[in-house]
Amino acid sequence: MSDETPPAPDPAGPEPAPIRFFGTTWVHHDGGYGLRRAGVAIGSLALAAAGAVVLRFAFEGLEIAAVGSFLNALIVACFAVCSAVAFRRTWDRLTRPATDAATDRPVDRSAQSMLLIGFIGSLLAYFCRSLVEAPGEGVRRAEYAAERERYERRRKARTGNPAAKKPTKPKKKRAT
C-alpha cells in the first residue's frame, strides 16, 4: 500500500452511499475498515451460533412434548429450507445490484416471514460476505463508479464550463 492518500472526490460530484456498520469507510478502506469487517464477521457468526442454540432449545421442547417423529422431521426440514432460501436471497442482495428501484416490492414483502424463520441463513451469508469485503461493498462501489463516470462525462460535455476546457495555445501573429 502507498502512503499517499487518494484524492478527495469533487465536493460537487456524487457522494458514496453509506453501508451499515461501515458508513463510507468502504470507499478508501480507512477509518478502521479492517477492524469493522472483522467485527461484523465475528458478530454475525456469534449471532448465528446463538440462534442455533435457541432453535436447539425449541427442538428439545418438541421432543419433551413427544409430538412425533414426523412433526420433528417437518420442523427440521422447514428450518433447513428457510435458512437456505434466506442465505441465497441475502447473498444475492449483497452481491448483485437491485434490478428494481422499489425496495418494498410485493415479492420481498411476501418472503419476509420465510427470511425471519431462516435468520441463521441470513447471518451466515453476512458472515461469508464479510470475509471477502464489507457486505454490499461491491454493489455500492460499482454504483458509485458509474455515478462518478456519468458526472465526469456531463461535466466535460457542458459548454461554457471553464473547469473542463483545455488550455489553448496563443495564436502566433503572422509577419507581413
Side-chain angles (χ1 to χ4, degrees):
M1 296 198 119
S2 67
D3 292 336
E4 294 181 19
T5 57
D10 184 9
E15 294 291 323
I19 297 177
R20 183 182 300 160
F21 305 123
F22 294 91
T24 57
T25 61
W26 61 268
V27 176
H28 300 298
H29 293 190
D30 58 353
Y33 172 81
L35 291 174
R36 290 177 191 217
R37 254 186 56 201
V40 165
I42 291 168
S44 60
L45 189 61
L47 286 173
V53 168
V54 169
L55 288 179
R56 177 69 186 145
F57 287 145
F59 188 72
E60 285 178 2
L62 289 175
E63 286 179 351
I64 291 171
V67 293
S69 61
F70 176 72
L71 188 58
N72 285 340
L74 192 63
I75 298 225
V76 168
C78 172
F79 276 107
V81 168
C82 288
S83 290
V85 168
F87 181 93
R88 181 61 185 196
R89 290 180 69 90
T90 303
W91 187 265
D92 285 345
R93 186 176 51 86
L94 295 175
T95 57
R96 295 191 181 123
T99 56
D100 190 5
T103 56
D104 60 337
R105 297 177 295 186
V107 173
D108 291 338
R109 282 185 274 135
S110 67
Q112 282 180 347
S113 58
M114 188 178 296
L115 295 176
L116 186 64
I117 293 170
F119 68 97
I120 292 178
S122 290
L123 289 169
L124 290 176
Y126 216 75
F127 166 73
C128 291
R129 198 65 205 157
S130 64
L131 294 177
V132 177
E133 65 182 7
E137 177 182 348
V139 173
R140 297 284 170 94
R141 191 170 297 283
E143 290 171 355
Y144 181 58
E147 286 177 22
R148 295 284 311 160
E149 191 227 324
R150 280 192 303 270
Y151 171 75
E152 290 298 325
R153 212 177 5 194
R154 280 193 317 261
R155 189 169 137 331
K156 288 181 181 176
R158 285 187 213 147
T159 59
N161 184 358
K165 287 185 180 177
K166 294 180 182 176
T168 58
K169 294 181 183 178
K171 293 183 179 180
K172 295 182 181 179
K173 294 185 180 182
R174 292 185 188 175
T176 54

